[in-house]
């Protein structure tokens, strides 16, 4: 018998008991169920972005209902998933997220991205050449309409500004969450990784290894650049709830960015 346990708190919905991953993933939208089943059985890479359309993905823009993206912030062109702002007159804190359809727990996530163009006028200074992917996120259905960011862990992507100014990527940010980092509770919102700086519009490949509610690692060029463990929610001061699974989402924060690959495979664990 499959059990689904949900807990409602402050109008936000969190999965607090793991669904059997096989059944959760094979309930994905058309075009994903078969490939996700194959991923579960064979540990193969599966493309979450199919290069043709946004099947399996749902936008949530601040100030708008779930699924509404009238400015086409998230779009597919030339085989790329693009985040664009040509439909905006200016950026007014309309932070957005594009959610994949099903929650996951133990997996490797491979993303290839590049920053392009210039930041939209009105975007915050910190958001220039700044984006990311959210993991272990709350569901998009549980977000408030004016909520900036989902409670989640953000693998933050930063692009270099000047050759002589270090600006690492694959960093960690923690909206509504905290983690254990270097054996201590990490209350700092964003923490730099050990990565090099990537300038201009070069493609960057990031690998994220997610082991449920245990250790999470960020890798670039076969180098471990960030590790932490035991993530938990902090929006409920009476009870710090551990996070062991959640949704994946990419961001829109006012600077254009391209994604050419978003792929997933089951985490390799030793018995």
């Amino acid at each position: 018998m499959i059990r689904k346990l949900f807990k409602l708190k402050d109008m936000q919905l969190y999965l607090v008991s793991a669904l059997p991953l096989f059944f959760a993933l094979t309930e994905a939208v058309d075009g994903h169920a078969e490939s996700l089943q194959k991923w579960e059985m064979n540990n193969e890479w599966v493309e979450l972005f199919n290069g043709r359309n946004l099947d399996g993905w749902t936008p949530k823009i601040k100030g708008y209902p779930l699924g509404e993206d009238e400015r086409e912030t998230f779009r597919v062109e030339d085989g790329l998933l693009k985040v664009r702002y040509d439909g905006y007159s200016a950026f007014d804190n309309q932070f957005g997220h594009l959610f994949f359809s099903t929650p996951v727990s133990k997996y490797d996530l491979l993303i290839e991205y590049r920053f392009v163009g210039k930041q939209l006028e009105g975007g915050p200074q910190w958001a220039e050449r700044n984006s990311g992917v959210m993991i272990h996120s709350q569901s998009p259905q549980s977000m408030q309409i004016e909520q900036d960011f989902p409670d989640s862990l953000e693998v933050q992507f930063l692009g270099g500004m000047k050759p002589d100014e270090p600006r690492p990527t694959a960093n960690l940010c923690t909206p509504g969450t905290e983690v254990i980092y270097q054996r201590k509770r990490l209350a700092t919102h964003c923490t730099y990784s050990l990565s090099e700086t990537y300038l201009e519009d070069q493609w960057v490949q990031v690998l994220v290894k997610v082991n449920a509610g245990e250790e999470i690692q960020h890798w670039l060029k076969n180098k471990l650049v960030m590790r932490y463990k035991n993530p938990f929610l902090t929006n409920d001061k009476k009870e710090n709830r551990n996070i062991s699974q959640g949704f994946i989402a990419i961001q829109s924060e006012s600077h254009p960015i391209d994604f050419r690959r978003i792929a997933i495979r089951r985490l390799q664990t030793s018995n």
Side-chain angles (χ1 to χ4, degrees):
M1 179 177 181
I2 302 174
R3 297 191 307 164
K4 297 180 181 180
L5 300 180
F6 295 93
K7 186 173 182 181
L8 286 170
K9 187 70 174 178
D10 297 330
M11 297 183 69
Q12 292 195 348
L13 176 65
Y14 297 95
L15 288 164
V16 297
S17 179
L19 279 168
L21 189 57
F22 172 83
F23 292 102
L25 289 173
T26 54
E27 290 173 356
V29 297
D30 291 346
H32 289 274
E34 182 178 353
S35 59
L36 287 172
Q37 180 179 354
K38 184 178 180 181
W39 165 69
E40 170 63 15
M41 299 302 293
N42 298 326
N43 299 335
E44 295 184 2
W45 284 108
V46 171
E47 306 299 328
L48 299 186
F49 167 54
N50 63 23
R52 302 184 303 276
N53 52 49
L54 295 179
D55 285 355
W57 298 85
T58 302
K60 174 62 184 78
I61 311 292
K62 179 184 176 182
Y64 293 88
L66 178 64
E68 186 172 325
D69 183 12
E70 61 183 14
R71 298 179 179 87
E72 295 186 327
T73 313
F74 302 101
R75 64 187 72 166
V76 178
E77 295 175 344
D78 304 320
L80 302 176
L81 197 168
K82 298 184 177 183
V83 182
R84 293 293 186 270
Y85 304 95
D86 49 326
Y88 295 68
S89 56
F91 195 79
D92 187 21
N93 293 328
Q94 303 110 320
F95 299 106
H97 297 82
L98 185 68
F99 286 83
F100 187 65
S101 57
T102 54
V104 284
S105 179
K106 294 185 178 183
Y107 58 95
D108 293 345
L109 181 67
L110 186 67
I111 293 185
E112 297 180 5
Y113 73 89
R114 68 178 178 186
F115 288 103
V116 295
K118 296 182 179 180
Q119 183 186 26
L120 176 64
E121 181 180 353
Q125 183 177 2
W126 55 261
E128 185 175 5
R129 292 177 63 79
N130 184 336
S131 189
V133 59
M134 325 305 278
I135 60 174
H136 279 358
S137 172
Q138 70 179 98
S139 70
Q141 293 83 1
S142 68
M143 289 186 66
Q144 304 298 308
I145 194 166
E146 294 293 337
Q147 188 173 340
D148 289 330
F149 306 99
D151 293 345
S152 58
L153 305 171
E154 177 190 350
V155 182
Q156 183 194 51
F157 304 149
L158 294 180
M161 307 292 283
K162 298 179 181 179
D164 58 346
E165 292 183 0
R167 201 171 188 234
T169 192
N171 307 308
L172 169 66
C173 296
T174 52
T177 60
E178 290 184 23
V179 301
I180 302 301
Y181 175 72
Q182 296 182 348
R183 300 183 179 181
K184 296 180 180 179
R185 178 172 173 172
L186 180 65
T188 305
H189 176 59
C190 288
T191 303
Y192 282 141
S193 78
L194 299 176
S195 88
E196 62 186 88
T197 300
Y198 293 87
L199 297 166
E200 301 177 343
D201 61 352
Q202 61 181 304
W203 287 102
V204 181
Q205 184 184 87
V206 176
L207 173 65
V208 185
K209 299 182 75 67
V210 182
N211 189 10
E214 300 179 24
E215 184 167 271
I216 298 172
Q217 302 176 353
H218 305 177
W219 291 76
L220 283 92
K221 294 183 176 179
N222 295 317
K223 177 184 177 182
L224 177 62
V225 298
M226 169 66 72
R227 68 193 307 171
Y228 48 94
K229 63 181 180 179
N230 305 134
F232 56 92
L233 297 167
T234 57
N235 62 343
D236 184 341
K237 300 304 180 182
K238 296 181 181 178
E239 178 185 5
N240 288 325
R241 290 175 290 168
N242 295 335
I243 310 171
S244 61
Q245 68 173 12
F247 290 81
I248 295 168
I250 62 171
Q251 289 187 310
S252 61
E253 294 187 309
S254 74
H255 199 111
I257 186 171
D258 293 338
F259 295 88
R260 70 180 178 187
R261 192 174 187 197
I262 305 175
I264 193 171
R265 72 179 176 190
R266 188 174 64 176
L267 181 66
Q268 303 291 322
T269 57
S270 58
N271 295 325

